[in-house]
Amino acid sequence: EVMRLDPGAPALQFKGSWWTWGDLVSRVDALAAALDAAGLGEGTGVAIVLRNHPDVVGAIMGTLSTRRCVLCLSPLLPDDALAADVRLLRPAVIVAEAQDWARAPFAAAAKEVGCLGLLLTGDSARPVEIVSGLEEVRGTGHASPEPGTAVSMLTSGTTGVPKRVPLRYKDFSEAMLGV
């Protein structure tokens, strides 16, 4: 609700330019529309390649504001490791920028698990597009986050392979209220 109060107000600065709340809301709405059209409702795990870009911020906001779950994918992983993470996670949908969809092992893993692929275009008129060949969710066995999970965050992996830790919506609410 807050992001819609003043669409022209500056929300975040990126590479010397300000993005308004309206810029972010256009991404939020486009992502929500694509997920709704695919039948991926509340509680769905949405894998997002977490690059430092306002389009990704919009994708995160769009996922959380519709009570879906952000499944973190690291763009820092080598191609084969990122592909292995996709195969292990088995998300129903992956949201990423063009530079990630151009990573052949990553795109192949997405196709293998049968997920919907969504491209963050960087274009405010059409911020989200469906990736060719990944137009729908196919098969079964896709990631099912625990109910109420907002983010499935990766640990740093300092003591071994990074693990996913569930951060719940109620925990965020309690933290905001100082409980």
Side-chain angles (χ1 to χ4, degrees):
E1 293 173 19
V2 171
M3 65 184 157
R4 297 179 190 279
L5 291 176
D6 187 358
L12 61 91
Q13 188 179 41
F14 181 71
K15 294 187 177 181
S17 296
W18 280 97
W19 284 57
T20 66
W21 284 109
D23 294 328
L24 294 175
V25 165
S26 70
R27 275 87 179 150
V28 167
D29 291 346
L31 180 69
L35 295 172
D36 288 346
L40 300 172
E42 185 175 311
T44 297
V46 179
I48 303 174
V49 179
L50 298 177
R51 291 202 174 269
N52 184 20
H53 193 276
D55 282 329
V56 174
V57 173
I60 293 167
M61 291 171 59
T63 302
L64 296 175
S65 67
T66 57
R67 297 199 57 90
R68 293 172 169 105
C69 175
V70 173
L71 303 173
C72 301
L73 292 175
S74 174
L76 303 176
L77 291 174
D79 289 353
D80 290 337
L82 182 57
D85 199 24
V86 168
R87 286 183 188 98
L88 180 66
L89 185 58
R90 298 193 53 77
V93 58
I94 298 177
V95 180
E97 294 181 309
Q99 63 187 316
D100 293 307
W101 287 116
R103 298 168 73 176
F106 169 71
K111 192 168 194 163
E112 183 182 312
V113 301
C115 71
L116 171 68
L118 297 178
L119 168 67
L120 299 174
T121 67
D123 177 9
S124 59
R126 204 171 153 90
V128 176
E129 291 182 357
I130 295 174
V131 175
S132 179
L134 298 172
E135 292 90 356
E136 63 185 356
V137 180
R138 296 180 332 275
T140 59
H142 296 286
S144 294
E146 295 176 28
T149 301
V151 180
S152 180
M153 179 62 87
L154 285 171
T155 63
S156 65
T158 54
T159 61
V161 176
K163 296 159 195 67
R164 294 187 189 281
V165 177
L167 305 175
R168 292 175 177 69
Y169 279 100
K170 74 175 188 82
D171 297 332
F172 286 111
S173 297
E174 290 171 358
M176 298 286 286
L177 297 173
V179 177

